[in-house]
Structures are given as C-alpha cells and as structure tokens.
C-alpha cells in the first residue's frame, strides 16, 4: 500500500485545519455568520496579496477569474498583447481571440522567460494596445516571468495599457507586489499556493482598471461591479461555495501566521532543493528562470518523461507531466501545497527509485544526499 500524495502544481494537498473547516455543517449564505466569515476571508486574502482591499472571491476556477478581469476592463474589439510562453499564456491568447479582441501574440520558446528587449521591440510596434496579458508563474514550463520588469517596460512604453496578470501559481509562492509593480489585475485560484481545494477564483483590480471598467458591463455571472458592491457587504451575487470559503479562511490563517515573505522563501528553497538534487540525476532544469511553484525537469537522455510520471504514480505520488510539445521530455513535481522539507526529500527519494527502476545506474541516496546538503546550506 502507498499513501496517496498530491505533489503536482495544483490541486495540492491541504492542511488538516482546512479539512476540518470543510467538514463543518453548511451555513446559509444570507446570514450574519457567513457574512462575518466572508469579510474576514476577503481581508486576509488582501493581506496575502499585498493589496489594500477588494480582492473578489468568485465561485469558479481561475480561468473564469481571468475571463472576468479581461471582459470587465478591456472593451471588446480592443487590441491586446498576450505573452504566449506556455499553456497558460496560450490560454489567455485564445480567450481574447474567442471574445473578438485583436490579439498580438508574443510567442516564446517553451522554457524561456520574457526578454525585456524583445518586449520593448514589440510594444514599440503596437503602441495602441489596451492591455497586456501575461502569466507570472507559467506552470506549464516552470518559468517565473519577471513581471516587475514587464510592468515597468509596459508602463513606460504603453502607459495607457492595463497589465493583467495570471498569478494563479505565484500567489503564495513567488514574490508578488501588485501596487509597487503597477499591476492592474491579479488573478489567482484556491487550489494552488493558497492550499484550499479547487473551486474559487480571486480577482483584484487596480483603481485605474476599475475606472476603465465603469463603462463596460459585458457579463452576467461574472459581473465584477455587482460583485464588488455585494462583496463589500459580505455577500455575493449568487450562491457562493460556502464550505470552500470556510476552508480558505483557515488556510489564510496558516499562511499569514508564517508571513508571506517566509512562505515565498520556504517554497523557493524547497523547489530549488528538488531541482538541484534532480540535476545530480541528469535531469536538467527546463525553465530558464525557475518558478518556486514547480520543479520543471527534463527526463535524462534516453528516458521518456511519461514513464517517470507513471513511476511516481505507481508509488502513490501524483506529479504533473509535460503538456503538449513538452510531454515526451518534461515532468513536474511540486511542493506548492501543504508540504515541508521532508516532502521535498521524499520527492527526491522517489525520483531516485523510479530512475533506478527505469535502468539508470544510480547509487542509493545520491540525490537525497545532495538535497540534504542544499537544505543544510540554505
Ligand atoms: C492552474 C492554473 C490556472 C487556472 O486553471 P483553472 O483550471 O481554471 O483553475 C491558470 N494559470 C496558471 C498559470 C495555472 O497554473
């Protein structure tokens, strides 16, 4: 028997405090009790996001959060630039195309981070864009884009353009400072670094994004203006996922208790530990600028990544494989959820075991020793 473990970049394992909150009796959402929990969770979420207020909680996955942010702030038919450097960047390009925006897609080789010079070049050719769409942590390739730099360049060259950022796996994992960096939309979800089950999206908009959105009201379920009015009162327009909100409230306590900067540091340290240990097993890092949310690793020469993913699965451990073109070469374990240094060591030990089974000549404990060393030094 193996203990089932979720070691993929979402959904992640959630803490027992969250499971306990999820198991409580269902409360009616039009009550003072719910109102109190909801307002409390919203305030904590704003604290985690390092914004003054008004993070909206939607009952949906992260994708709907991004859809809502785009539709609320950019007029249909407007021109947007989408940074397409992996599966999620590609999703935002497709989303914008589906709604009839004029989309300029900045295509990057998978595994590469945005090169500011290339971005400057492209923005100079398209000074009329209404928004720039980017992912922060591109989970499909393991790249953390330098959103601070991207926003700086965009603010200079296209000052009118809004900067809409997919922070689904960066919130609670990588340094993220929406106000200091001048971001206009931060979108995230519950099932990643926030250690809550899937089902909630989070959306924060800057003042100037709200100002632009005043003239637009293109959606029904995802009407952010209506949500803002309701959520300030501790209510939602439609029935919220009450149990998930209770779970979120508990998860946020744990993250805020640890302190957001400590959470960033812990996840980065553990992720680097996995990457460094895997390198000692001939698994090269896939991302040129690693996101702390996921260890994107290449299978050693001669091995197929899906066999490695299956090897983990046989041992009860769910990691992610590569998507699309990266499928044959990429595998992606992650300590994004409720995980500590010993979980990182377990991933490394299982990787050794799996690679041995696939015929690699590895002495027992080789990568575990590397991991222990990294942990001791950092
Ligand atoms: C998980 C994820 C999403 C959201 O996907 P949903 O399935 O809609 O929750 C978006 N962007 C990134 C980078 C992700 O990792």
């Amino acid at each position: 028997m193996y203990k089932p473990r979720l070691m993929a970049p979402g959904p992640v394992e959630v803490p027992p405090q969250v499971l306990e909150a999820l198991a409580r009796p269902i409360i009616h959402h039009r009550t003072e009790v719910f109102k109190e929990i909801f307002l409390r969770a919203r305030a904590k979420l704003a604290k985690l996001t390092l914004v003054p207020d008004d993070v909206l909680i939607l009952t949906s996955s992260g994708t709907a959060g991004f859809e809502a942010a785009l539709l609320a702030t950019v007029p249909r038919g407007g021109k947007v630039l989408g940074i397409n450097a992996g599966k999620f960047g590609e999703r935002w390009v497709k989303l914008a195309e589906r709604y009839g925006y004029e989309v300029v897609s900045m295509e990057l080789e998978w595994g590469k981070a945005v090169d500011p010079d290339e971005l400057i070049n492209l923005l100079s050719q398209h000074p009329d864009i209404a928004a720039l769409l980017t992912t922060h942590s591109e989970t499909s390739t393991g790249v953390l884009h330098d959103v601070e730099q991207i926003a700086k360049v965009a603010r200079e060259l296209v000052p009118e353009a809004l900067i809409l950022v997919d922070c689904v796996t960066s919130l609670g994992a990588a340094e993220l400072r929406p106000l200091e960096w001048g971001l206009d939309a931060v979108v995230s979800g519950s099932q990643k670094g926030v250690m809550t089950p899937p089902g909630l999206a989070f959306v924060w908009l800057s003042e100037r994004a709200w100002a632009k959105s005043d003239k637009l009201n293109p959606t029904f379920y995802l009407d952010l203006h209506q949500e803002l009015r309701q959520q300030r009162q501790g209510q939602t327009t439609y029935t919220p996922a009450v149990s998930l909100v209770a779970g979120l409230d508990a998860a946020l306590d744990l993250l805020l208790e640890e302190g957001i900067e400590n959470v960033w540091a812990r996840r980065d340290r553990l992720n680097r530990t996995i990457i460094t240990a895997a390198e000692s097993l001939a698994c090269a890092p896939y991302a040129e600028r690693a996101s702390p949310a996921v260890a994107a690793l290449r299978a050693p020469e001669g091995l197929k990544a899906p066999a490695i993913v299956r090897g983990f699965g046989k041992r009860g451990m769910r990691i992610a494989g590569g998507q699309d073109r990266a499928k044959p070469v990429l595998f992606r374990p992650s300590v994004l959820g409720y995980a500590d240094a010993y979980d990182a060591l377990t991933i490394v030990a299982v990787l050794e075991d799996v690679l041995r089974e696939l015929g690699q000549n590895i002495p027992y404990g080789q990568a575990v020793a590397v991991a222990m060393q990294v942990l001791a030094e950092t």
Side-chain angles (χ1 to χ4, degrees):
M1 162 281 202
Y2 290 106
K3 179 182 157 195
R5 297 167 200 260
L6 275 177
M7 292 291 167
V12 300
E13 287 189 10
V14 308
Q17 290 89 335
V18 174
L19 294 174
E20 185 274 324
L22 292 166
R24 285 180 212 150
I26 312 302
I27 47 179
H28 196 280
H29 56 295
R30 307 295 182 204
T31 57
E32 281 304 312
V33 185
F34 179 73
K35 187 173 156 181
E36 202 179 295
I37 298 173
F38 193 61
L39 287 174
R40 197 167 66 210
R42 287 191 64 227
K44 290 176 195 169
L45 194 54
K47 216 165 167 190
L48 188 83
T49 314
L50 301 181
V51 294
D53 52 22
D54 285 331
V55 180
L56 300 175
I57 300 174
L58 308 176
T59 302
S60 69
S61 84
T63 301
F66 205 90
E67 185 163 332
L70 175 66
L71 292 175
T73 59
V74 186
R76 299 278 181 99
K79 188 166 168 183
V80 301
L81 188 144
I83 293 176
N84 181 350
K87 205 64 197 156
F88 291 101
E90 179 187 276
R91 182 178 296 180
W92 311 135
V93 165
K94 283 186 181 162
L95 168 75
E97 282 171 353
R98 176 79 63 93
Y99 279 108
Y101 292 94
E102 183 187 342
V103 184
V104 179
S105 175
M106 180 180 179
E107 311 268 339
L108 265 69
E109 198 184 315
W110 281 29
K112 293 272 183 260
V114 173
D115 171 1
D117 289 332
E118 261 175 60
L119 183 63
I120 289 169
N121 188 16
L122 204 58
L123 289 175
S124 319
Q125 292 167 45
H126 301 281
D128 54 338
I129 58 163
L132 185 147
L133 321 180
T134 187
T135 51
H136 186 197
S137 164
E138 176 52 77
T139 321
S140 64
T141 63
V143 168
L144 185 74
H145 293 295
D146 188 346
V147 161
E148 181 180 12
Q149 176 77 22
I150 291 171
K152 192 162 168 255
V153 166
R155 284 283 182 145
E156 259 174 50
L157 290 177
V158 285
E160 287 304 309
L162 296 177
I163 301 156
L164 312 184
V165 190
D166 166 357
C167 299
V168 178
T169 51
S170 64
L171 179 66
E175 183 177 14
L176 172 61
R177 301 185 187 277
L179 294 191
E180 284 172 40
W181 297 355
L183 311 185
D184 293 296
V186 168
V187 176
S188 195
S190 52
Q191 80 274 29
K192 311 276 172 90
V194 182
M195 307 191 301
T196 303
L200 300 176
F202 314 132
V203 180
W204 174 83
L205 297 181
S206 69
E207 268 177 44
R208 69 171 192 155
W210 278 117
K212 291 202 193 228
S213 80
D214 273 347
K215 289 147 244 129
L216 303 169
N217 191 17
T219 52
F220 190 83
Y221 184 73
L222 298 172
D223 181 342
L224 294 186
H225 273 283
Q226 191 160 307
E227 281 303 327
L228 181 65
R229 280 194 301 278
Q230 292 277 355
Q231 296 202 8
R232 282 186 169 163
Q233 309 298 319
Q235 285 291 306
T236 56
T237 313
Y238 310 106
T239 313
V242 284
S243 301
L244 292 181
V245 172
L248 172 68
D249 185 45
L252 289 168
D253 277 340
L254 296 172
L255 293 167
L256 292 174
E257 226 166 80
E258 185 175 354
I260 185 63
E261 298 191 346
N262 296 330
V263 172
W264 296 339
R266 167 169 59 84
R267 292 207 162 124
D268 192 48
R269 172 175 176 251
L270 300 189
N271 199 59
R272 279 180 200 287
T273 299
I274 296 169
I275 292 176
T276 308
E279 279 188 88
S280 78
L281 300 174
C283 302
Y286 188 84
E288 85 171 340
R289 191 172 186 277
S291 164
V294 58
L297 298 163
R298 283 180 191 278
E301 279 295 316
L303 287 190
K304 295 235 182 313
I308 297 174
V309 176
R310 276 197 303 277
F312 272 87
K314 255 173 52 182
R315 290 160 177 82
M317 195 181 285
R318 175 75 198 198
I319 65 166
Q323 293 164 286
D324 292 356
R325 68 195 85 164
K327 196 172 167 104
V329 296
L330 181 60
F331 65 102
R332 297 175 298 149
S334 166
V335 281
L336 186 55
Y338 181 55
D340 66 10
Y342 297 103
D343 293 302
L345 286 175
T346 302
I347 288 173
V348 172
V350 173
L351 179 59
E352 276 190 9
D353 204 16
V354 169
L355 293 181
R356 281 175 65 98
E357 185 180 62
L358 294 173
Q360 300 292 100
N361 184 14
I362 300 162
Y364 277 125
Q366 176 184 298
V368 173
V370 172
M372 295 289 273
Q373 195 64 42
V374 176
L375 288 171
E377 286 164 4
T378 52

